[in-house]
Amino acid sequence: MTKISVIIPCYNVAKYVERCFESLKNQTIGLEQMELIFVDDASVDDTWDKIKEIEKQYSENIIAIHCKDNGRQGRARNIGMSYASGDYIAFVDSDDWVEPDMFEIMLHEMINNNRDIVYCRFYRDNGKEKKIHKLDGSVKYLLVDTEEKRKEFIRSNCLGYGVWDKIYRREFLVSNQICFPEKVAYEDIFFSGLYYLYAERVAIVNYELYHYFVNRQSTVLKKNAGYHDDILKVTKARVEEYKKRGVWNQYHDELELDILMAGYFAALKVMFLRYDKVPYTMFCELCDYMNHEFPDVEKNVYIEKYVPEKYVVMIQLLKIRVSEEELAKIAESFRKIEGI
């Protein structure tokens, strides 16, 4: 039986998809233990031809799916999950690649220690330099079995918001209805926000096993892209989903902190770093939403411990409506602090 289903969403990655596949084909667990699900999200380059050629050579272990219209990575990943038959699921972005023993190490922790999620460290990689492991390979185990531990788990953000540096027990995702929003960017923040609500047994592998390709044309890094305002849509969707699931009041302070960090601050960072000219209308919409939904966010009890000092000052922007010119100066100061 297939042990792990690896879902690879693809869009205009003809230059990179073969590199990604080679790193998966060469996994030490053997290709026969894997189900590779390539979902071409209506690419307009030669990506689909590349995928079909891979499928032709390794048909027993490859599922190739072609979408007629683009639904972004969220829909591609959801489609991949609907096809997955493995006991475990992983996501690999098609311009990234993985260490040869990534799934051997992570599956060992998943199977032998009955985990819901296993998380590893990653490299930010330009593809030109040989990376050397700097971490010790130790493993930390978490058992989130009380309400207080759940609150700490949520506010610690100890697993980050990436979905590609983890493997998941498929039944854990299915039983808790954890999936992605579709046709929006920043879908991984929504998905990750859900697993913090339900994961009980987690392993953190202190070893760099995933190569995150720093691609300036990737969805997250591309400058002045219209979809960057999706981060506000995703923030609103997260709040509504928490209310729908009946956890909003139970974990209000913790989730408010999370929305502050991965919603408000993240959106400001996108506006300051991903646009040549800061989108003032988007900024005003963000502030209006935060002030309506979180009128006392500056009083959140966790700010002092969990929010970096350089971000604390930006909470004041919610209460003082700065002008477009003033916001541009603030953005420029932020870029200098970030070294950009």
Side-chain angles (χ1 to χ4, degrees):
M1 176 180 287
T2 301
K3 285 187 177 180
I4 185 165
S5 297
V6 183
I7 298 165
I8 308 106
C10 304
Y11 180 70
N12 290 353
V13 286
K15 292 192 298 183
Y16 307 116
V17 67
E18 290 174 306
R19 178 180 65 184
C20 177
F21 169 68
E22 286 296 316
S23 75
L24 296 171
K25 183 184 72 172
N26 294 327
Q27 287 296 295
T28 54
I29 62 171
L31 186 58
E32 67 275 6
Q33 300 295 325
M34 305 168 68
E35 175 182 68
L36 305 184
I37 306 173
F38 289 86
V39 184
D40 177 47
D41 195 22
S43 295
V44 295
D45 66 356
D46 295 331
T47 296
W48 180 236
D49 292 333
K50 300 279 188 181
I51 293 172
K52 286 191 295 183
E53 185 60 32
I54 292 171
E55 180 192 28
K56 182 179 178 180
Q57 295 181 56
Y58 301 93
S59 58
E60 292 186 4
N61 302 97
I62 303 291
I63 297 175
I65 304 160
H66 180 65
C67 300
K68 292 183 178 180
D69 61 292
N70 183 272
R72 296 201 177 278
Q73 286 190 325
R75 189 176 70 174
R77 290 180 177 137
N78 286 341
I79 290 171
M81 284 196 287
S82 73
Y83 278 83
S85 63
D87 294 328
Y88 310 103
I89 284 179
F91 301 100
V92 174
D93 284 356
S94 48
D95 55 354
D96 297 339
W97 65 100
V98 301
E99 287 288 295
D101 54 357
M102 176 173 172
F103 292 132
E104 180 180 357
I105 291 172
M106 297 182 80
L107 281 171
H108 174 83
E109 295 300 333
M110 176 68 80
I111 296 170
N112 290 0
N113 295 295
N114 189 27
R115 302 287 110 178
D116 295 320
I117 299 175
V118 178
Y119 163 53
C120 71
R121 309 301 183 180
F122 65 94
Y123 298 109
R124 292 179 64 85
D125 203 323
N126 61 14
K128 299 177 182 178
E129 303 169 3
K130 183 176 177 57
K131 296 294 182 178
I132 299 174
H133 292 300
K134 297 180 180 179
L135 303 175
D136 60 11
S138 61
V139 183
K140 180 180 180 180
Y141 300 103
L142 302 181
L143 178 61
V144 188
D145 58 351
T146 68
E147 184 172 297
E148 282 307 309
K149 288 182 181 179
R150 178 71 55 197
K151 290 180 178 180
E152 170 59 23
F153 187 48
I154 294 170
R155 63 181 179 254
S156 71
N157 184 34
C158 60
L159 303 183
Y161 297 103
V163 300
W164 28 257
D165 49 6
K166 304 171 181 73
I167 64 173
Y168 311 84
R169 186 166 53 84
R170 182 163 67 97
E171 178 55 31
F172 163 73
L173 296 178
V174 172
S175 62
N176 291 298
Q177 298 181 300
I178 298 176
C179 58
F180 295 90
E182 301 185 1
K183 295 190 176 182
V184 291
Y186 302 98
E187 74 295 329
D188 47 355
I189 300 176
F190 182 98
F191 181 94
S192 301
L194 294 180
Y195 63 59
Y196 279 107
L197 298 176
Y198 302 111
E200 294 184 357
R201 299 174 63 85
V202 176
I204 300 175
V205 179
N206 193 40
Y207 208 37
E208 309 98 326
L209 297 172
Y210 189 95
H211 293 257
Y212 175 84
F213 182 47
V214 182
N215 179 2
R216 295 299 171 186
Q217 292 304 308
S218 69
T219 298
V220 174
L221 296 180
K222 191 172 183 180
K223 294 290 289 284
N224 303 313
Y227 53 71
H228 282 312
D229 63 1
D230 285 349
I231 193 167
L232 181 53
K233 297 175 186 176
V234 169
T235 298
K236 292 178 179 180
R238 290 180 66 201
V239 172
E240 292 307 309
E241 187 69 17
Y242 294 146
K243 292 178 179 178
K244 177 183 175 181
R245 290 178 182 243
V247 298
W248 184 243
N249 292 330
Q250 184 178 9
Y251 301 115
H252 178 271
D253 290 349
E254 293 74 25
L255 293 174
E256 182 180 66
L257 175 71
D258 190 34
I259 293 295
L260 183 66
M261 297 293 290
Y264 176 65
F265 293 144
L268 286 180
K269 191 171 182 178
V270 166
M271 285 185 271
F272 292 168
L273 302 183
R274 300 292 174 256
Y275 290 91
D276 293 326
K277 181 180 179 181
V278 181
Y280 188 68
T281 300
M282 178 180 169
F283 168 74
C284 293
E285 183 181 356
L286 172 66
C287 291
D288 288 343
Y289 174 74
M290 291 295 297
N291 283 323
H292 178 267
E293 198 68 51
F294 309 97
D296 300 313
V297 67
E298 73 279 4
K299 299 177 183 178
N300 187 285
V301 295
Y302 299 122
I303 286 177
E304 184 175 352
K305 182 177 180 180
Y306 290 97
V307 179
E309 185 176 349
K310 66 180 180 180
Y311 289 118
V312 171
V313 67
M314 291 197 290
I315 299 176
Q316 299 175 21
L317 296 179
L318 291 170
K319 306 303 178 183
I320 304 171
R321 184 55 60 92
V322 298
S323 68
E324 188 169 359
E325 292 74 20
E326 290 169 328
L327 185 64
K329 293 179 181 178
I330 292 169
E332 182 61 31
S333 297
F334 182 82
R335 295 187 193 104
K336 291 180 180 177
I337 292 173
E338 293 289 302
I340 297 174

